[in-house]
Amino acid sequence: MNAQDNACLCPCGSGARYGECCAPLIAGTLPAPTAEALMRARYSAYAKREIPFLLATCDLSETGRDGKPRKAATDEKATRRWSEESLWQGLKIIRTEKGGTGDSEGVVEFEATYTDKRGVRQTHHETASFKRLDGRWLFSNGDLKPETVRREGRKIGRNEPCPCGSGKKHKLCCGR
């Protein structure tokens, strides 16, 4: 991280400079005071490709059904690929529950907007749970909120004429 990075606005959308907002959390010089602050820092870490921070802020305290410690909620290769192959465009915090300085658990619902490697704009909508362990906020798990696809106009039937004007049925033309 250089001085120019620190002077830029933080990717998390707080309006503060990166060096005064998420950079100290990602560098480990300051702990996240709230669950929302950790969520913002994790988004910034995706935007800045700080994969070690993302992995280090996952809760590994719980055990799986087999009694062994559960693996990180994130796969390092997949996390790195998603971070590096995306152009991160913004974070919107929708709501928070608890997660304050005196709480041990918290929830942050958010939308992260990015453009994927194909150039398609995407929105990742998630409700994330956080836990404070030994005075440190950690990401516990996330519940994805699928986006409902809304069709513009009416649906074209399979046996209707194709709207491209070919004269063929839709199922034999553009509907393939």
Side-chain angles (χ1 to χ4, degrees):
M1 175 173 47
N2 59 39
Q4 188 176 3
D5 272 351
N6 282 335
C8 293
L9 288 179
C10 191
C12 80
S14 67
R17 297 197 185 285
Y18 179 63
E20 300 162 358
C21 188
C22 291
L25 279 63
I26 292 170
T29 57
L30 284 177
T34 65
E36 181 179 340
L38 179 61
M39 178 62 246
R40 289 182 176 280
R42 286 178 58 82
Y43 173 83
S44 292
Y46 272 103
K48 297 284 188 179
R49 294 155 176 72
E50 297 283 352
I51 309 309
F53 176 78
L54 293 167
L55 299 175
T57 55
C58 287
D59 174 21
L60 301 177
S61 67
E62 295 180 14
T63 57
R65 292 182 190 154
D66 59 2
K68 296 179 183 176
R70 74 179 179 103
K71 294 182 180 176
T74 54
D75 169 28
E76 183 174 357
K77 284 184 181 180
T79 300
R80 184 173 307 282
R81 187 172 40 253
W82 191 29
S83 173
E84 293 175 354
E85 293 179 354
S86 300
L87 174 62
W88 299 92
Q89 297 168 323
L91 175 68
K92 177 181 171 186
I93 303 295
I94 297 170
R95 69 180 175 90
T96 60
E97 289 179 22
K98 299 184 181 180
T101 55
D103 295 321
S104 60
E105 294 182 352
V107 172
V108 180
E109 183 178 355
F110 67 94
E111 288 180 344
T113 306
Y114 64 98
T115 300
D116 66 20
K117 67 181 180 180
R118 300 168 295 154
V120 177
R121 188 176 173 101
Q122 304 278 349
T123 300
H124 177 88
H125 185 177
E126 181 177 323
T127 300
S129 298
F130 296 86
K131 289 183 181 179
R132 188 196 309 253
L133 297 173
D134 299 324
R136 189 171 157 241
W137 282 106
L138 297 171
F139 169 77
S140 182
N141 62 46
D143 180 26
L144 289 176
K145 305 291 182 183
E147 187 176 338
T148 302
V149 177
R150 291 187 176 90
R151 182 180 295 117
E152 302 267 336
R154 70 174 192 82
K155 181 178 178 181
I156 300 163
R158 292 174 29 90
N159 291 315
E160 292 184 45
C162 191
C164 76
S166 67
K168 296 179 182 179
K169 289 183 178 183
H170 179 64
K171 69 181 178 184
L172 298 175
C173 190
C174 297
R176 283 188 164 184

